Amino acid sequence: MIWTVLQRAARRPIRWAVAAVAGLALAACSSGPKKPQPTPLEPVVPLVEARQVWTQSIGAVDALLVPVVRDGQLAVANAAGEVSVFDGDSGRLRWRASAGAAMAAGVGFDGRRVALVTRDSELVVLTESGVAWRQRLSARVYTAPLVAGERVFVLAGDRSVAAFDARTGMRLWQQPSRGTEPLVLQQPGVLTAVGNTLVAGIGGRLVGFDPDQGRVLWDGVIGRTRGATEIERLVDLVGRVGRDGDVLCARAFQVAIGCVDAAAGRLLWTQSADGASGVQADGERVYGVEANGRVIALARRDGARLWTHERLLHRGLSAPLAIGRSLAIGDAQGYVHLLARADGAMLNRLATDGSAIVEGPLAVGNTLIAVTRNGGIFAWRPQ
């Protein structure tokens, strides 16, 4: 079955391609076995207390929302393109501005500016004073822009990468597509920075760019294409990435998890793994969720499997977040589950508004934050 919507990589949107692939997915689902039901939740004795400290509401959000934390602030946008920036510690609204159009991908945030892409393929940068500038893009975008170093970087659906001046919106450079696969995932990919290197997920590769000129510095393969059909060969990297110093760990959709030394541009290891959500890393482990909801921990050094957790199968789990001694994972029913980073034992379960946790939990210091599809923002402070 195909649960993720796909689109052909092209300069201009090809709507019929999306409909065709989605139709194939529905046909496959209707003729095949029924989607597995979420595993019922077992009672939990809280071993880690977590006190709810604030809540907010921003209205329903788009499936491609990526909330961002910078300088103790949380930046989010709702489906209508209204951006809100909150103090992560208290939940106080710091400022709010509107892009004036529905959001398609976002957000990027450097502590002062928020960037998003609208459904009309406009890159919009906002400050507390309102819209700072707009730039028309030539391709659809599914990955949140990155705002860093007085630049705004965009990874487009045609796998091109571009940089804009964060103050004026002037295009500084553009790297044309380096991907050969005809289909792309309609979900957030990888776009981040390590030191003075811009890192993007291009197909199944992590690629390091010079942020000033767009020159390719290194290229590391996380997952390779396989199979006979376009869908079987789809191998895009998916956000979020795990980071431990200069080491970046990422997932290639339904193929593998791997880690790269971003300073040296050297691939450290890859391991086969079936999943569609991002990963988290610390000095000892890389954490991820497989397609069926199995939570896994791999050794950060070599990718060897350390533990698995199978009590949350088929619950639509989000990317994980390491906070304190816990691993926080959201599900499609609106719960945040806290597992022990050391062995995967269940530590606690936190409820929200019953709608899916978007992207995955975040942390502002010791405050754990989850954003739901209905636009609820919930913050807890683990003890």
Side-chain angles (χ1 to χ4, degrees):
M1 299 182 202
I2 304 163
W3 302 110
T4 305
V5 179
L6 314 174
Q7 178 158 329
R8 292 187 179 277
R11 284 283 177 186
R12 297 183 182 277
I14 304 179
R15 300 183 186 279
W16 63 264
V18 180
V21 177
L24 288 173
L26 292 174
C29 294
S30 62
S31 61
K34 292 184 178 179
K35 184 178 179 180
Q37 293 300 303
T39 298
L41 297 177
E42 302 173 4
V44 173
V45 176
L47 300 179
V48 170
E49 296 294 334
R51 177 174 56 92
Q52 185 169 306
V53 291
W54 59 265
T55 64
Q56 286 281 3
S57 180
I58 60 170
V61 304
D62 191 278
L64 296 181
L65 170 68
V66 178
V68 176
V69 170
R70 289 288 185 278
D71 301 335
Q73 303 173 84
L74 171 72
V76 293
N78 61 23
E82 185 178 68
V83 168
S84 300
V85 177
F86 298 96
D87 180 88
D89 188 57
S90 67
R92 178 179 61 87
L93 177 67
R94 292 200 170 187
W95 57 270
R96 179 170 284 158
S98 176
M103 190 195 79
V107 294
F109 183 48
D110 65 354
R112 293 178 295 158
R113 304 178 183 92
V114 175
L116 60 82
V117 178
T118 71
R119 292 184 184 174
D120 293 328
S121 296
E122 273 195 327
L123 172 62
V124 183
V125 169
L126 304 101
T127 68
E128 57 185 317
S129 301
V131 174
W133 53 265
R134 302 173 183 269
Q135 267 282 9
R136 175 70 61 179
L137 303 174
S138 58
R140 297 271 311 261
V141 174
Y142 309 110
T143 300
L146 174 68
V147 186
E150 297 298 313
R151 291 171 175 80
V152 179
F153 302 97
V154 176
L155 170 63
D158 64 358
R159 298 188 175 93
S160 64
V161 181
F164 301 84
D165 187 292
R167 293 164 294 182
T168 66
M170 182 179 70
R171 188 188 301 269
L172 301 175
W173 56 261
Q174 181 163 355
Q175 264 280 357
S177 171
R178 290 172 49 86
T180 58
E181 301 83 5
L183 293 179
V184 296
L185 287 176
Q186 264 193 342
Q187 74 177 64
V190 174
L191 189 63
T192 188
V194 179
N196 196 37
T197 301
L198 174 70
V199 181
I202 309 293
R205 310 189 307 277
L206 276 177
V207 181
F209 295 90
D210 174 353
D212 297 322
Q213 300 176 354
R215 179 171 53 92
V216 174
L217 303 175
W218 53 261
D219 191 324
V221 178
I222 301 295
R224 298 184 184 276
T225 58
R226 61 183 182 180
T229 69
E230 291 180 356
I231 293 174
E232 289 173 334
R233 291 195 296 269
L234 182 67
V235 71
D236 278 337
L237 300 189
V238 298
R240 66 181 63 168
V241 293
R243 181 174 177 182
D244 173 37
D246 290 332
V247 174
L248 282 184
C249 302
R251 178 190 296 279
F253 177 70
Q254 295 185 341
V255 175
I257 293 173
C259 293
V260 170
D261 183 332
R266 179 171 58 93
L267 178 67
L268 300 177
W269 56 263
T270 63
Q271 289 286 353
S272 296
D274 179 14
S277 59
V279 299
Q280 175 80 94
D282 59 26
E284 298 181 15
R285 308 175 192 89
V286 180
Y287 309 93
V289 175
E290 297 189 329
N292 64 357
R294 181 184 294 112
V295 185
I296 62 173
L298 309 177
R300 222 284 284 136
R301 180 181 57 194
D302 58 10
R305 186 162 296 200
L306 300 177
W307 57 256
T308 63
H309 180 101
E310 300 193 357
R311 292 164 61 187
L312 301 172
L313 298 180
H314 312 301
R315 296 194 61 84
L317 299 186
S318 73
L321 168 78
I323 179 170
R325 64 187 181 99
S326 303
L327 190 70
I329 303 174
D331 71 16
Q333 294 74 41
Y335 291 99
V336 175
H337 307 273
L338 300 184
L339 310 183
R341 290 162 68 174
D343 58 10
M346 183 68 75
L347 300 178
N348 204 342
R349 181 184 305 130
L350 311 172
T352 62
D353 58 16
S355 64
I357 305 299
V358 175
E359 178 68 8
L362 302 124
V364 181
N366 194 41
T367 300
L368 174 65
I369 296 175
V371 180
T372 72
R373 186 63 55 82
N374 286 347
I377 306 176
F378 297 81
W380 303 268
R381 201 152 293 144
Q383 303 301 308

